[in-house]
Amino acid sequence: ASKELYEKLVGLEGKDLEVEIRKVFEDQRSRLSKLLNLPEGTEVILCPSGSDAEYIPIAIARALKGDVTIENGVTQLREVGAGTAPASMGQFFSTHAPLMGRLDPDAKVLDGFEGIDGAIIAAREKDGSVVNASEEMDRFVESALAKGAYPIVHGVFGGKTGLRDIKMPGSADCGEKTLGVVDACQARFSLDELHGWLGQDSLVLFTASKFYQAPPFCGAVIVPATIAEKLRSSSTPGHSDMFNSQGLGGFLTDKELPSCLESWSPLLKDDDVSNVGLAFRWEAGLAGMEAIASVPDSVRIDAVKEWGKT
């Protein structure tokens, strides 16, 4: 599948490449929506990886709430991606960024992401016993709200060892009080579970590079309809530096965005930059998903459970 896309794009450059990649990403978002049977109004943001996806809830929180103190609570340290914890605090987590290349050695925090604080909860105690992360997140939310902060609260639906948090947090008061994030990057969930998270207004982090065996660095953020509508009616974010080349612009262009983020598009628009590699990786991921699309959800989940026992 990726080779076919390569053969379609090879030789294109400049405006011709920009136009075709925009069409490719639009098609890929549409196919992913169909495969996951996403409810009407739900939107999809494509992004380079599950760790990079952690920047998106921060940007959405800023778009929804403006210049407020944001605190971010993340669970399952060491059983989620190594970049998850620093990215959730608005920090770079690698020596390179997808659209910037090698970073300056002094680059620590993305532009516009300064001042993010929060809590990072380990998956396990030193003796290997499981931490009740959901209970820790409840305390984190209570503390953040008491301080007048806006909390982003995570739940992990299957880390690297299959560990699942007890509770997948929703967004309180349609995202007005808190922003819930479900890390489902392993993609080992049923459609009913996914739709349940979206029904409680949770953002869902997803990758095709785990269960569906796409090449690494193949991520997405699924935005529930209620939050998408709020974003659609929101004005251009005041923190415009958040979208420059040392901020989100080092990871995304407007071509990966859905229509609900039209207000972000002028800030991320760069006709000279296209993440062609991401398009190839998602083409492989979607081919993997489409190959088993006819398998009933119950059969697929039973296979996941059986795999988890081995």
Side-chain angles (χ1 to χ4, degrees):
S2 296
K3 184 179 179 182
E4 289 177 5
L5 180 58
Y6 169 79
E7 290 171 347
K8 179 180 178 181
L9 298 178
V10 67
L12 297 180
E13 56 185 25
K15 185 65 176 178
D16 291 338
L17 179 60
E18 188 270 337
V19 168
E20 286 303 315
I21 285 293
R22 189 176 297 279
K23 292 178 182 176
V24 169
F25 282 139
E26 184 176 355
D27 173 68
Q28 290 176 342
R29 290 194 302 270
S30 176
R31 287 158 63 195
L32 181 59
S33 296
K34 182 178 179 181
L35 285 162
L36 296 177
N37 194 23
L38 296 181
E40 184 176 356
T42 305
E43 300 274 20
V44 175
I45 305 166
L46 300 180
C47 56
S49 75
S51 293
D52 296 322
E54 286 289 350
Y55 299 126
I56 303 297
I58 299 173
I60 287 176
R62 189 63 74 201
L64 292 177
K65 303 300 294 182
D67 193 18
V68 301
T69 300
I70 295 172
E71 295 200 0
N72 205 345
V74 175
T75 68
Q76 290 208 33
L77 181 65
R78 299 186 184 89
E79 295 208 14
V80 291
T84 294
S88 71
M89 299 299 152
Q91 302 169 7
F92 292 106
F93 58 88
S94 176
T95 58
H96 292 69
L99 304 180
M100 282 189 279
R102 181 173 288 278
L103 299 172
D104 186 290
D106 295 328
K108 303 299 181 187
V109 179
L110 278 67
D111 283 359
F113 286 72
E114 298 86 358
I116 306 299
D117 200 359
I120 299 172
I121 309 300
R124 299 177 186 273
E125 304 286 1
K126 290 183 178 180
D127 64 2
S129 59
V130 175
V131 172
N132 188 332
S134 295
E135 193 174 86
E136 294 287 344
M137 282 294 97
D138 287 343
R139 284 195 281 266
F140 159 74
V141 170
E142 184 178 352
S143 172
L145 291 174
K147 291 183 285 186
Y150 181 73
I152 301 172
V153 54
H154 284 65
V156 176
F157 194 79
K160 293 178 180 178
T161 65
L163 182 63
R164 295 177 178 177
D165 292 341
I166 295 171
K167 182 168 59 177
M168 298 300 117
S171 299
D173 195 15
C174 303
E176 288 300 310
K177 289 181 63 178
T178 70
L179 188 63
V181 179
V182 176
D183 181 340
C185 286
Q186 296 291 326
R188 297 194 288 266
F189 53 76
S190 69
L191 293 184
D192 284 345
E193 286 165 333
L194 172 62
H195 296 163
W197 305 330
L198 295 172
Q200 62 182 20
D201 300 325
S202 305
L203 300 179
V204 180
L205 311 186
F206 177 84
T207 73
S209 53
K210 309 296 191 300
F211 181 79
Y212 292 106
Q213 303 177 49
F217 310 117
C218 184
V221 178
I222 304 171
V223 184
T226 300
I227 303 297
E229 187 55 37
K230 286 178 176 288
L231 291 168
R232 195 183 308 278
S233 60
S234 66
S235 58
T236 302
H239 286 248
S240 59
D241 57 338
M242 178 176 276
F243 300 90
N244 68 26
S245 62
Q246 299 297 313
L248 269 186
F251 297 82
L252 296 173
T253 74
D254 66 312
K255 294 181 276 293
E256 292 93 296
L257 301 181
S259 61
C260 70
L261 293 176
E262 193 171 307
S263 65
W264 296 14
S265 292
L267 303 173
L268 288 169
K269 187 173 178 60
D270 190 338
D271 293 346
D272 296 325
V273 174
S274 294
N275 196 336
V276 179
L278 179 61
F280 292 154
R281 296 191 295 274
W282 259 112
E283 199 65 21
L286 287 165
M289 296 180 72
E290 288 163 348
I292 63 169
S294 62
V295 177
D297 210 30
S298 59
V299 174
R300 185 173 60 83
I301 294 303
D302 285 345
V304 169
K305 291 178 180 178
E306 185 65 27
W307 170 81
K309 296 175 183 178
T310 61

